[in-house]
Coordinates of all heavy atoms in Angstrom, one line a residue:
A194 N 17.7 -0.7 8.1 CA 18.8 0.1 7.4 C 19.4 -0.7 6.3 O 19.7 -0.3 5.2 CB 19.8 0.5 8.4
I195 N 19.6 -2.1 6.6 CA 20.2 -2.9 5.6 C 19.3 -3.1 4.4 O 19.7 -2.9 3.2 CB 20.5 -4.3 6.2 CG1 21.6 -4.2 7.2 CG2 20.8 -5.4 5.1 CD1 21.8 -5.4 8.2
L196 N 18.0 -3.4 4.6 CA 17.0 -3.6 3.5 C 16.8 -2.2 2.7 O 16.6 -2.3 1.5 CB 15.7 -4.1 4.0 CG 15.7 -5.6 4.5 CD1 14.4 -5.9 5.1 CD2 16.0 -6.4 3.3
S197 N 16.8 -1.1 3.4 CA 16.6 0.1 2.8 C 17.7 0.4 1.7 O 17.4 1.1 0.7 CB 16.6 1.3 3.7 OG 15.5 1.2 4.6
K198 N 18.8 -0.2 1.9 CA 20.0 0.1 0.9 C 19.9 -1.1 -0.2 O 20.3 -0.8 -1.3 CB 21.3 0.0 1.7 CG 21.5 1.2 2.5 CD 22.8 1.2 3.2 CE 22.9 2.4 4.1 NZ 23.6 2.2 5.3
R199 N 19.4 -2.2 0.2 CA 19.4 -3.3 -0.8 C 18.2 -3.4 -1.7 O 18.3 -3.9 -2.8 CB 19.5 -4.7 0.0 CG 20.9 -4.9 0.6 CD 20.8 -6.3 1.3 NE 22.1 -6.5 2.0 CZ 22.3 -7.6 2.7 NH1 21.5 -8.5 2.7 NH2 23.5 -7.7 3.3
V200 N 17.0 -3.1 -1.2 CA 15.8 -3.2 -1.9 C 15.3 -1.9 -2.5 O 15.2 -0.9 -1.8 CB 14.7 -3.8 -0.9 CG1 13.4 -4.0 -1.7 CG2 15.1 -5.1 -0.4
K201 N 15.2 -1.9 -3.8 CA 14.7 -0.7 -4.5 C 13.2 -0.6 -4.6 O 12.6 -0.9 -5.5 CB 15.4 -0.7 -5.9 CG 16.9 -0.7 -5.9 CD 17.4 -0.2 -7.1 CE 19.0 -0.3 -7.2 NZ 19.7 0.1 -6.1
N202 N 12.7 -0.2 -3.4 CA 11.3 -0.1 -3.3 C 11.0 1.0 -2.3 O 11.5 1.1 -1.2 CB 10.7 -1.4 -2.7 CG 9.2 -1.4 -2.6 OD1 8.6 -0.8 -1.7 ND2 8.5 -2.0 -3.6
A203 N 10.1 1.9 -2.6 CA 9.8 3.1 -1.8 C 9.2 2.7 -0.5 O 9.5 3.3 0.6 CB 8.9 4.1 -2.6
T204 N 8.4 1.7 -0.4 CA 7.8 1.3 0.8 C 8.8 0.7 1.8 O 8.8 1.1 3.0 CB 6.7 0.2 0.5 OG1 5.6 0.7 -0.2 CG2 6.1 -0.4 1.8
I205 N 9.7 -0.1 1.3 CA 10.8 -0.6 2.1 C 11.7 0.5 2.6 O 12.2 0.5 3.8 CB 11.6 -1.7 1.4 CG1 10.7 -2.8 0.9 CG2 12.7 -2.2 2.2 CD1 9.9 -3.5 1.9
R206 N 11.9 1.5 1.8 CA 12.8 2.6 2.2 C 12.2 3.6 3.2 O 12.9 4.3 3.9 CB 13.3 3.4 1.0 CG 14.2 2.5 0.1 CD 14.7 3.3 -1.0 NE 15.8 2.6 -1.7 CZ 16.2 2.8 -2.9 NH1 15.8 3.8 -3.5 NH2 17.2 2.0 -3.4
K207 N 10.9 3.5 3.3 CA 10.2 4.4 4.2 C 10.4 3.9 5.7 O 10.5 2.7 5.9 CB 8.6 4.4 3.9 CG 7.9 5.4 4.7 CD 6.4 5.4 4.1 CE 5.6 6.4 4.9 NZ 4.2 6.5 4.4
D208 N 10.5 4.8 6.6 CA 10.7 4.4 8.0 C 9.6 3.5 8.4 O 8.4 3.7 8.2 CB 10.7 5.7 8.9 CG 11.0 5.4 10.4 OD1 10.6 4.4 10.9 OD2 11.8 6.2 10.9
F209 N 10.0 2.4 9.0 CA 9.1 1.3 9.3 C 8.0 1.7 10.3 O 6.8 1.4 10.1 CB 9.8 0.1 10.0 CG 8.9 -1.1 10.2 CD1 8.5 -1.9 9.1 CD2 8.6 -1.5 11.5 CE1 7.7 -3.0 9.3 CE2 7.8 -2.6 11.7 CZ 7.4 -3.4 10.6
D210 N 8.3 2.6 11.2 CA 7.3 3.1 12.1 C 6.3 4.0 11.5 O 5.2 4.3 12.1 CB 8.0 3.9 13.3 CG 8.7 2.8 14.2 OD1 8.4 1.7 14.3 OD2 9.7 3.3 14.8
D211 N 6.6 4.5 10.3 CA 5.7 5.5 9.6 C 4.8 4.8 8.6 O 4.0 5.5 7.9 CB 6.5 6.6 8.9 CG 7.1 7.5 10.0 OD1 6.7 7.6 11.1 OD2 8.1 8.2 9.6
L212 N 4.9 3.5 8.4 CA 4.1 2.8 7.4 C 2.6 2.7 7.8 O 2.3 2.6 9.0 CB 4.6 1.3 7.3 CG 6.0 1.1 6.8 CD1 6.4 -0.3 6.8 CD2 6.3 1.7 5.4
D213 N 1.8 2.9 6.8 CA 0.4 2.7 7.0 C 0.0 1.3 6.8 O 0.9 0.5 6.5 CB -0.5 3.7 6.1 CG -0.3 3.4 4.6 OD1 -0.1 2.2 4.3 OD2 -0.4 4.3 3.9
Y214 N -1.2 0.9 7.1 CA -1.7 -0.5 7.0 C -1.4 -1.1 5.7 O -0.8 -2.2 5.7 CB -3.2 -0.6 7.3 CG -3.7 -1.9 7.1 CD1 -3.6 -2.9 8.2 CD2 -4.4 -2.3 6.0 CE1 -4.0 -4.2 8.0 CE2 -4.8 -3.6 5.8 CZ -4.7 -4.5 6.8 OH -5.1 -5.8 6.6
Y215 N -1.7 -0.5 4.6 CA -1.4 -1.1 3.3 C 0.0 -1.4 3.1 O 0.4 -2.4 2.5 CB -1.9 -0.1 2.1 CG -3.3 0.3 2.1 CD1 -3.8 1.5 2.6 CD2 -4.3 -0.6 1.6 CE1 -5.2 1.8 2.6 CE2 -5.6 -0.3 1.5 CZ -6.1 0.9 2.1 OH -7.4 1.2 2.0
Q216 N 0.9 -0.4 3.5 CA 2.3 -0.7 3.3 C 2.8 -1.8 4.2 O 3.7 -2.6 3.7 CB 3.0 0.6 3.7 CG 2.7 1.7 2.6 CD 3.2 3.1 3.1 OE1 3.2 3.4 4.3 NE2 3.7 3.8 2.1
V217 N 2.3 -1.9 5.4 CA 2.7 -3.1 6.2 C 2.3 -4.4 5.5 O 3.2 -5.3 5.4 CB 2.1 -3.0 7.6 CG1 2.3 -4.3 8.5 CG2 2.6 -1.8 8.4
V218 N 1.1 -4.5 5.0 CA 0.7 -5.7 4.4 C 1.5 -5.9 3.1 O 1.8 -7.1 2.9 CB -0.8 -5.5 4.0 CG1 -1.3 -6.6 3.0 CG2 -1.7 -5.5 5.2
S219 N 1.9 -4.9 2.4 CA 2.7 -5.1 1.2 C 4.1 -5.8 1.5 O 4.6 -6.4 0.6 CB 2.9 -3.8 0.4 OG 3.8 -3.0 1.1
Y220 N 4.6 -5.6 2.6 CA 5.9 -6.3 3.0 C 5.8 -7.8 2.7 O 6.8 -8.4 2.3 CB 6.2 -6.0 4.5 CG 7.2 -4.9 4.8 CD1 6.9 -3.6 4.4 CD2 8.4 -5.1 5.4 CE1 7.8 -2.6 4.7 CE2 9.3 -4.1 5.7 CZ 8.9 -2.8 5.3 OH 9.8 -1.8 5.6

């Protein structure tokens, strides 16, 4: 919740449990 507000990135704002493999790696 903290990072979703601070980081202007669609992947970070997406629910962590809903991330696909590519998005997890991009973190």
Side-chain angles (χ1 to χ4, degrees):
I195 293 166
L196 286 176
S197 293
K198 291 178 180 146
R199 290 185 185 174
V200 179
K201 300 199 182 320
N202 181 288
T204 296
I205 303 300
R206 290 184 173 164
K207 190 173 179 180
D208 187 316
F209 188 70
D210 293 331
D211 293 338
L212 297 177
D213 62 31
Y214 175 80
Y215 296 101
Q216 292 167 323
V217 171
V218 170
S219 73
Y220 262 61

